Amino acid sequence: MLTQTTTRVLDPGELGAALAILESDPVTNAFVTARVQVAGLDPWRLGGEMWGWYADGQLRSLCYSGANLVPVCATPEAVRAFADRARRTGRRCSSIVGPAEPTAALWRLLEPSWGPARDVRAHQPLMVTETIPDDIEPDPYVRRIRKDEMDVIMPACVAMFTEEVGVSPLAGDGGLLYQARVAELVGTGRAFARIEDGKVVFKAEIGAATAKACQIQGVWVAPEYRGRGLSETGMAAVLRYALADVSPIVSLYVNDYNTAARAAYRRVGFREVGAFMSVLF
């Protein structure tokens, strides 16, 4: 007997089924889970559509289609279905990102019509920890950024984004969306930095946050301060905040070629548990 499959946009009434899939892997799915928990499945509030792949009427896999295209718990059959839908709708995203294996399969199917990509980062180790290191003293000067310090933190955020992604977040709309996102993180107490003489020398944010797992992002040290161990003591400080105030598991993912960062994260207690992949347009 053949399995009947279909792919469609989830409706708001399917929130429970979607969360069941998302929460089956709280670390890997933290980004999408956090958005859905806040916004539900309404496309306008969510900032994109949530596609579902169904087998015999049961929701099995998801794919978030917004500024990013993100496969979630996607089987090979679901990846093919999501690729078909993505080809029909055309590229609306600035990146494809997710667990390495399904993301690579999705990109292989989409590359003939969506390519070439500006950059493909095929292996980005996913790292987690549940503890604060015993042998690294958290930097006592790393603290939450206040709402009145947006003008202090923004230059460091722009520098980090440009260095990491290869394009400025100020392009296009003049940085309005990016500034709004930074303001959201500051406003929710999830942006941290060490500031000396009015300048950020270390910063990081807790980007995605759920009750089960959160994800650190945007780790950056001012170029003239690199090599002094600030990334380790600064990360230890952010980790302390994250474990105390946000969730019991803290994760991040990093480019595999950034050996210095990977070593620093390992020294702070992070261990590799998987890999992400990012395709940047």
Side-chain angles (χ1 to χ4, degrees):
M1 184 176 179
L2 293 177
T3 300
Q4 298 295 314
T5 64
T6 187
T7 306
R8 62 173 174 81
V9 178
L10 271 67
D11 64 58
E14 296 177 281
L15 179 60
L19 285 173
I21 290 176
L22 288 164
E23 292 171 355
S24 68
D25 190 345
V27 171
T28 301
N29 300 333
F31 167 72
V32 178
T33 304
R35 293 189 69 91
V36 170
Q37 287 180 343
V38 170
L41 295 175
D42 176 76
W44 187 84
R45 294 186 62 221
L46 187 60
E49 296 177 338
M50 186 67 74
W51 301 344
W53 181 78
Y54 300 78
D56 291 334
Q58 296 295 312
L59 181 63
R60 305 290 189 185
S61 299
L62 302 169
C63 185
Y64 172 72
S65 176
N68 316 104
L69 189 67
V70 187
V72 176
C73 299
T75 65
E77 295 84 357
V79 166
R80 289 193 290 272
F82 293 145
D84 288 341
R85 187 177 188 93
R87 277 194 296 265
R88 291 196 303 270
T89 59
R91 184 174 71 81
R92 303 172 183 174
C93 60
S94 60
S95 69
I96 306 172
V97 59
E101 187 173 344
T103 301
L106 186 58
W107 177 233
R108 282 194 297 271
L109 294 168
L110 289 175
E111 185 176 11
S113 55
W114 280 20
R118 181 171 56 82
D119 192 10
V120 176
R121 300 175 181 182
H123 186 80
Q124 297 172 298
L126 174 65
M127 308 180 77
V128 302
T129 187
E130 302 91 0
T131 59
I132 299 171
D134 295 327
D135 56 345
I136 296 178
E137 186 67 26
D139 187 338
Y141 296 103
V142 170
R143 58 173 176 81
R144 282 189 167 93
I145 296 298
R146 302 189 306 268
K147 293 180 182 179
D148 63 354
E149 294 178 308
M150 280 292 294
D151 60 334
V152 178
I153 195 67
M154 274 304 295
C157 292
V158 170
M160 178 282 305
F161 188 99
T162 304
E163 186 177 314
E164 170 65 21
V165 180
V167 297
S168 171
L170 306 182
D173 66 352
L176 293 177
L177 286 175
Y178 185 68
Q179 185 167 341
R181 175 56 176 161
V182 174
E184 177 190 355
L185 293 172
V186 171
T188 55
R190 304 210 308 269
F192 305 86
R194 174 174 175 162
I195 300 173
E196 294 183 1
D197 299 322
K199 180 179 178 180
V200 173
V201 300
F202 166 87
K203 76 159 200 74
E205 298 91 38
I206 300 172
T210 73
K212 294 183 178 179
C214 66
Q215 189 176 89
I216 293 177
Q217 65 177 37
V219 182
W220 183 83
V221 176
E224 63 270 30
Y225 286 83
R226 292 173 187 174
R228 304 185 188 182
L230 286 178
S231 60
E232 296 169 20
T233 58
M235 279 294 290
V238 176
L239 183 58
R240 180 179 58 189
Y241 282 110
L243 290 172
D245 300 341
V246 184
S247 61
I249 302 176
V250 181
S251 72
L252 56 81
Y253 64 97
V254 59
N255 294 318
D256 59 353
Y257 54 78
N258 194 343
T259 55
R262 292 172 67 184
Y265 299 149
R266 283 195 294 269
R267 285 194 289 272
V268 180
F270 283 89
R271 65 188 185 279
E272 296 183 10
V273 296
F276 273 32
M277 174 177 173
S278 296
V279 180
L280 308 179
F281 299 104

